[in-house]
Amino acid sequence: MKASVYAIYRQPYFYQSLSLSLSLLISFVKLLPIMTTTNSHVITCKGIVSWGKGEPLKVEEIQVEPPKSNEVRVKMLYASVCRTDLLFANGFPIPAFPRVMGHEGVGVVESFGEGVTGLREGDLVIPAYIAECKTCETCMSEKTNLCLKYPLSYNGLMLDGSSRMSIRGQTAYHAFSCSTWCQYLVINVNFLIKIDPKTPLPDASFLSCGFSIGYGATWKEAMVKNGSSVAVFGLGAVGLGAIKGAKSHGAIKVIGIDNNPMKAAKGRAFGMTDFINPEESDKSIAELVKDLTAGMGVDYSFECTGVPPLINQAIQSTKLGTGKIIQMGVEEPNVNINIIGLLVGRTLKGSIFGGLKAKTDLPIIYSKCKNREIQLDELLSHEIKLEDVDSF
């Protein structure tokens, strides 16, 4: 069985000229059998690799070593793509190549090293780039989701500074804690979450990052209040998650902003009440938002693109004195911020993984999906074969 890639809204990314937009969903379900033997062997499999900034992604044969102590080797079933993957492919934030791509997905435990407990072969799991040890100062705090014991990493290596992947003898790097666009990956057990085996695989993959980030930002970061107003910049997977989260937490006006008119229907499917296409007006986005809010602006803005000019528009779109802006997207390491917009009492807050604690909060979102409180059918549109990734 050949692998397939399912594309989500293959439309240009908000304010960008890109061939990929929200994400891809790569299906590996019947490519290789689930291994149930010893974990002492190297597996040769296929994965999608970036060889350098500006170079096309290629499907390569990759050697994946067995897991060491406290590590798990996972056979991937589905893997999603988000904007961050495009940044990694171009060397942001660290130009480590060759990089085996992907950080969203779902798979099953193939084998594990010493010290791993609570998992067995065949368990359905998702990799995360945020760990939760539940014992360090920050894990025990409600103020942040950044674990001190197992910190967020960008170097593309395991915790011991080495890699479990190679390509023709050359060390290969992963994205964050894993490489989900590969048939097999090795990950530290503290970045792995066991989920209900009845979870639909596409939903499990979508919820492993993008959609959950947006939903989490409304819940854990902004703490959206009942009766409030919200503006969401960029209606990709993160933005649609923010729309759904805001609506679920009682927002009565949810404004979606995107220059792709096809996103209007998608936004409404998740609870959007108003849609702004900036290309249809000579006014600024902030002015258009205020036109929809009696000149006041919204209580919360969720900036999901990272496009520098939009960050300032997100700030200006909120209410004076009380407006809160959650920044989730990233495009450049340094941006110019209009400080006056913040001095008048607004709050700009950065967010990683939507403020979600991986092991505590993600299962709650998965449960909502299982109970059909969150329905992700609108995210999936079409598919391509894995071997066509080189030309996608």
Side-chain angles (χ1 to χ4, degrees):
M1 177 68 70
K2 296 179 179 178
S4 298
V5 177
Y6 296 85
I8 311 303
Y9 310 156
R10 195 182 176 194
Q11 306 296 333
Y13 191 81
F14 184 45
Y15 270 82
Q16 301 296 302
S17 297
L18 299 173
S19 59
L20 303 181
S21 58
L22 305 187
S23 60
L24 302 174
L25 185 58
I26 306 169
S27 169
F28 299 118
V29 175
K30 295 183 180 179
L31 281 176
L32 295 173
I34 298 174
M35 305 301 232
T36 58
T37 57
T38 175
N39 62 17
S40 62
H41 62 289
V42 173
I43 291 178
T44 297
C45 60
K46 293 185 181 296
I48 301 171
V49 178
S50 172
W51 286 94
K53 182 178 180 179
E55 295 189 23
L57 301 179
K58 293 184 177 181
V59 177
E60 301 277 8
E61 282 199 347
I62 299 168
Q63 286 70 51
V64 181
E65 297 176 7
K68 295 184 179 180
S69 177
N70 295 312
E71 295 177 356
V72 179
R73 188 158 60 187
V74 177
K75 176 187 180 292
M76 294 306 299
L77 301 179
Y78 283 79
S80 312
V81 181
C82 84
R83 173 65 177 165
T84 305
D85 294 306
L86 299 176
L87 298 176
F88 272 120
N90 284 297
F92 179 86
I94 296 175
F97 299 107
R99 189 184 291 274
V100 184
M101 300 296 298
H103 66 279
E104 302 182 11
V106 59
V108 292
V109 173
E110 177 267 339
S111 59
F112 46 85
E114 295 181 2
V116 174
T117 59
L119 291 174
R120 58 187 179 87
E121 293 171 351
D123 280 347
L124 192 66
V125 293
I126 60 169
Y129 54 88
I130 295 291
E132 183 185 1
C133 72
K134 296 190 175 184
T135 60
C136 73
E137 178 182 347
T138 56
C139 282
M140 296 176 70
S141 165
E142 291 297 318
K143 296 181 179 180
T144 179
N145 61 341
L146 293 174
C147 180
L148 296 176
K149 189 174 182 180
Y150 304 103
L152 176 68
S153 174
Y154 300 103
N155 64 10
L157 298 171
M158 303 299 290
L159 295 181
D160 64 2
S162 63
S163 174
R164 303 292 174 268
M165 300 180 299
S166 61
I167 304 172
R168 296 184 289 277
Q170 182 176 352
T171 296
Y173 300 86
H174 49 65
F176 288 126
S177 64
C178 57
S179 290
T180 59
W181 299 7
C182 190
Q183 291 171 312
Y184 287 88
L185 63 84
V186 175
I187 186 171
N188 184 281
V189 68
N190 293 285
F191 293 88
L192 204 59
I193 304 161
K194 181 179 176 180
I195 63 173
D196 188 331
K198 296 181 181 179
T199 306
L201 296 180
D203 290 357
S205 186
F206 294 140
L207 290 175
S208 68
C209 185
F211 189 89
S212 292
I213 287 177
Y215 191 95
T218 66
W219 169 29
K220 306 296 290 189
E221 300 282 28
M223 301 180 185
V224 169
K225 298 294 190 297
N226 189 49
S228 61
S229 55
V230 166
V232 178
F233 287 71
L235 303 189
V238 176
L240 294 176
I243 287 175
K244 180 62 179 178
K247 197 68 176 177
S248 297
H249 289 87
I252 57 175
K253 182 171 282 292
V254 181
I255 304 169
I257 303 156
D258 203 294
N259 68 348
N260 183 345
M262 295 181 66
K263 300 290 183 70
K266 299 297 182 181
R268 291 191 179 96
F270 286 94
M272 181 184 73
T273 60
D274 301 90
F275 180 70
I276 292 174
N277 182 343
E279 293 186 350
E280 295 178 349
S281 175
D282 293 330
K283 292 183 178 182
S284 70
I285 296 175
E287 289 174 315
L288 294 171
V289 170
K290 289 177 181 177
D291 285 346
L292 292 171
T293 54
M296 296 292 292
V298 292
D299 296 298
Y300 311 95
S301 279
F302 296 90
E303 208 297 299
C304 309
T305 73
V307 178
L310 297 185
I311 300 173
N312 283 307
Q313 287 296 305
I315 294 171
Q316 297 296 333
S317 294
T318 62
K319 292 178 179 179
L320 291 173
T322 60
K324 193 167 187 177
I325 306 93
I326 307 299
Q327 182 63 41
M328 291 173 280
V330 59
E331 178 76 18
E332 301 175 7
N334 300 296
V335 297
N336 293 319
I337 298 295
N338 183 348
I339 194 65
I340 300 299
L342 297 178
L343 289 178
V344 292
R346 298 182 178 103
T347 301
L348 173 63
K349 187 179 190 305
S351 175
I352 190 77
F353 205 55
L356 296 170
K357 292 181 182 290
K359 296 186 178 181
T360 298
D361 298 326
L362 269 184
I364 296 174
I365 297 180
Y366 275 81
S367 177
K368 290 180 180 293
C369 184
K370 180 182 177 182
N371 296 334
R372 305 299 287 171
E373 295 176 53
I374 297 175
Q375 298 184 37
L376 303 179
D377 300 341
E378 289 291 333
L379 291 182
L380 186 58
S381 62
H382 61 280
E383 67 177 277
I384 63 172
K385 295 179 181 179
L386 178 62
E387 55 265 33
D388 294 333
V389 168
D390 290 346
S391 59
F392 188 74

